[in-house]
Amino acid sequence: MSIRHGLLALLERGPRYGSQLRTEFESRTGSTWPLNVGQVYTTLSRLERDGLVVQDGEDDQGHALYSISDAGRTELRAWFETPVDRSNPPRDELAIKLAMAVGAPGVDIRAVIQAQRHHTVKAMQDYTRLKAQSLAQAPANRDEVAWLLVVEQLIFQAEAEARWLDHCEARLIRLAEAAATEPEPGPPPGPATRTAARPAARPAARPAGRSRTRR
C-alpha cells in the first residue's frame, strides 16, 4: 500500500510518466525500497482502474503521462490522516528464525544471535555514516530531507533490533542458569527396593470346620 500511495503523492505534484515516478520514488526514499518499472506501471494500471489516476496525454518524448484525480486526492488525504495499522504487523524473518531455533536440535541459538547482532550493528554504523555525510551539508531540498528521515528511521530500527537481540541472549542465559540449578531426579527404584517395599504375604487361612488328626 505504501507504493500505491507514494505514487499518488508524487502525482499530486503534477503529471508524471512511469520511469519518472520510479526515479522520484527512489530519490525520495534514498533507494531503500527500489522499484522496477513494471511494478510502477502495474500499480498505475490499478490506480487507473480504481479511478484514482487518469491518463493525461504524452510529453514531448512520447511518454504516457498520468495525473491524480479528485478521488485520488481524497484517497491520499485519508492515507496521510490515518495512522499506520500495527495490529497486524508484517512477518519478521528474524523473529521467526529465533522462535524456530529455540530447542532445535543441533542449533546454537546464541551463535545465531551473535551473528545477527554483528550484522545489525554494522548496518547501523553504515546508516549513521550516511546520515553524517548528509548533515555535513544542510539538506538543500525536500527530497534530501525526506531521504534523511528514512535513514534516521533505519538507524532507530537497527538500534531497537540490537537491544532486542541483547534481551533475547540475556533471557536464554537466565533460562540456562535456572535449568542448571534444578535438582536432578533420582534413579528409578531397583528390584531390591521394590521387593522391600512390597507388603509381606499373609498365610493362607485354613478351611473352616476341618481339623488335622494324628495317626
Side-chain angles (χ1 to χ4, degrees), residues 33 96 104 130-131 177:
W33 302 288
I96 295 173
L130 290 174
K131 176 183 176 180
E177 291 174 347

Side-chain angles (χ1 to χ4, degrees), residues 97 109-121 165:
K97 179 188 291 187
I109 188 170
R110 292 186 64 184
V112 175
I113 291 174
Q114 290 172 4
Q116 183 63 47
R117 184 191 292 112
H118 175 77
H119 175 81
T120 301
V121 170
L165 289 169

Side-chain angles (χ1 to χ4, degrees), residues 44-62:
L44 286 173
S45 296
R46 292 172 179 169
L47 291 171
E48 184 178 14
R49 177 201 63 192
D50 296 340
L52 304 180
V53 303
V54 294
Q55 293 196 32
D56 193 12
E58 298 179 349
D59 65 1
D60 295 339
Q61 287 76 37

Side-chain angles (χ1 to χ4, degrees), residues 92-100 102 109 112-113 116-117 120 156-172:
D92 184 274
E93 182 181 357
L94 177 57
I96 295 173
K97 179 188 291 187
L98 293 188
M100 296 302 170
V102 174
I109 188 170
V112 175
I113 291 174
Q116 183 63 47
R117 184 191 292 112
T120 301
F156 292 140
Q157 190 175 47
E159 289 176 345
E161 184 171 281
R163 291 196 303 270
W164 178 66
L165 289 169
D166 291 341
H167 167 78
C168 291
E169 186 173 35
R171 180 175 293 279
L172 290 171

Side-chain angles (χ1 to χ4, degrees), residues 2 13 16 26 66 72 81 87 121-122 137 153 158 180 193:
S2 59
R13 300 169 61 180
R16 301 283 193 279
E26 293 184 350
Y66 291 83
E81 295 168 1
S87 60
V121 170
K122 183 180 182 303
Q137 297 178 348
Q153 190 271 344
T193 306

